Amino acid sequence: MNPHRPQGQITDESLRSALGALADGVQVPPDESYVAISAGWKRRYRRRRLTVAILATVVFGVVDVVGLWALNSAEPVPQVIFSDTGQPYAGLQPLFVLDDLDDAGRGAQRGDRSADPARPAIRARTAEDGHVLAGVPAQAG
Amino acid sequence: MEPGWDVDPARTDLLPVGRAVDIPALYQAHWRYLVRLAVLLVDDLASAEDVVQDAFLALHRKVDGLRDPDAALGYLRTSVVNLARSVIRRRQVARKHLKVAEPEATAGADHDVLLRDEHRAALAAVRALPRRQSEVLVLRYWAGLSEREIAQTMNVSVGSVKVHISRGMAALTRKFEDRR
C-alpha cells in the first residue's frame, strides 16, 4: 500500500495497477494460426446466417399458410366493398339549408369590408331549428 | 510500451502492409491485448473471446470499405467496446427477465486470478460504476489511450470523456471512503 496516499482515496496508479493485475492474470489461450482460427469464425458466421435464413423462411411460410387458410375459410358470398349503384348520401340529413339570398348592396351598406359586391351574401339555417350557422344574416324589413 | 500491449503499437512493421489491411498480422499483434480489454469490460473470458472474434469477423467483412488501413486497430477496439456493451446488455436482460443467471452465480474473471485485496476492491468498485464510466476508466488507465482516442473509440465528444473520467474517479473515491 502506498504510504503517501491519503486514506480512502483511489489514485490513478492504484487503479492502473488493479486493472493491470487482472488483465495480466487472464490466461489467454495460446496463439493459433490465423487461418485455422478464422476458419472457425467464418464457420460460426455461416451457421448463424443459415439459422437466421431458416428462421425467416419458417416465419414467412407460417404467415403464408395462415393467410391462405383465412382466405380459404371465408364465405363464398361475393363481398361488395365499393359499389356505385346506390344513392351516395341516402339516409343522411342535410346539415343546413340555404334560407335566403341577400343582395350585394346590403353587405356594402353594413360596412362589411369582406362583402364582395359581385357575390350575394347567404343566410343559412339548420334543417331542424333554423339556427343560423354561417353566412351573413339578412336585415329585417 | 503501453500496459497490456503484447506488441508495441508503435511498431508499424506489424501493422497493415502497404495500403491493404493485413488481418493476420493484426490478429497476431493484438489478439491478446483485445481479449484482455474485453475481459476488463465483460468480466468473463469466454464472452471476451467471443467479443474479439466477432470484432475480427466484422473487420473481415468490412475490410474493403475501410478507407484508412491504419484505422483498423481503432476499428477493432471500437468493435470490442460496442460488442462488450451488447454482451452486458444481453446479460442484464437475461438476469432481469429469465432469472437464469444471478450476479453471484457467475464467477468473475478475477476468480482464478490471485489479486491483492486492494486490487480486488478497486475492480469491484469499477464494475459497480455506470457502464460508460467504467469503459472510460478501463480505456484510460489500462489501455492508456488519450482522451481524444477514447472519444473516437466510444464515439463521444472529448468533453464527455473528461466528464466520465472525473465522475468515475470521484465515485471510486467515495466508495473507498465509505468502505474504510
Side-chain angles (χ1 to χ4, degrees), chain A residues 1-2 5-34 37-38 41-42 44-45 48-49, chain B residues 23-24 27 31-32 35-36 39-40 45 49-50 53-54 56-57 60-61 109-110 113 115-116 118-119 122-123 126-127 137-138 140-142 169 172-173 176-177 180:
Chain A
M1 184 173 295
N2 185 355
R5 199 180 76 190
Q7 277 270 317
Q9 187 178 351
I10 188 164
T11 61
D12 297 0
E13 288 74 24
S14 60
L15 181 57
R16 195 171 283 129
S17 156
L19 293 171
L22 173 59
D24 293 343
V26 172
Q27 297 298 317
V28 181
D31 285 336
E32 297 177 46
S33 75
Y34 176 76
I37 205 159
S38 65
W41 301 345
K42 288 170 192 168
R44 261 180 43 180
Y45 175 64
R48 202 181 299 168
R49 290 195 62 167
Chain B
I23 298 181
Y27 170 81
W31 162 257
R32 285 170 184 269
V35 169
R36 285 174 175 153
V39 164
L40 292 173
L45 181 58
E49 286 180 353
D50 285 347
Q53 284 182 11
D54 285 346
F56 270 98
L57 204 52
H60 186 267
R61 285 204 309 271
D110 56 345
V113 180
L115 292 176
R116 286 156 48 190
E118 190 183 2
H119 289 165
L123 291 171
V126 170
R127 283 181 197 132
L137 291 183
V138 167
R140 182 79 184 94
Y141 292 105
W142 180 76
M169 289 306 282
L172 288 182
T173 303
F176 267 64
E177 282 171 353
R180 286 170 198 272

Side-chain angles (χ1 to χ4, degrees), chain A residues 80-90:
Chain A
V80 178
I81 298 175
F82 296 111
S83 170
D84 53 357
T85 55
Q87 293 295 323
Y89 301 110

Side-chain angles (χ1 to χ4, degrees), chain B residues 101-113:
Chain B
E102 293 299 325
E104 291 78 13
T106 310
D110 56 345
H111 186 256
D112 298 326
V113 180

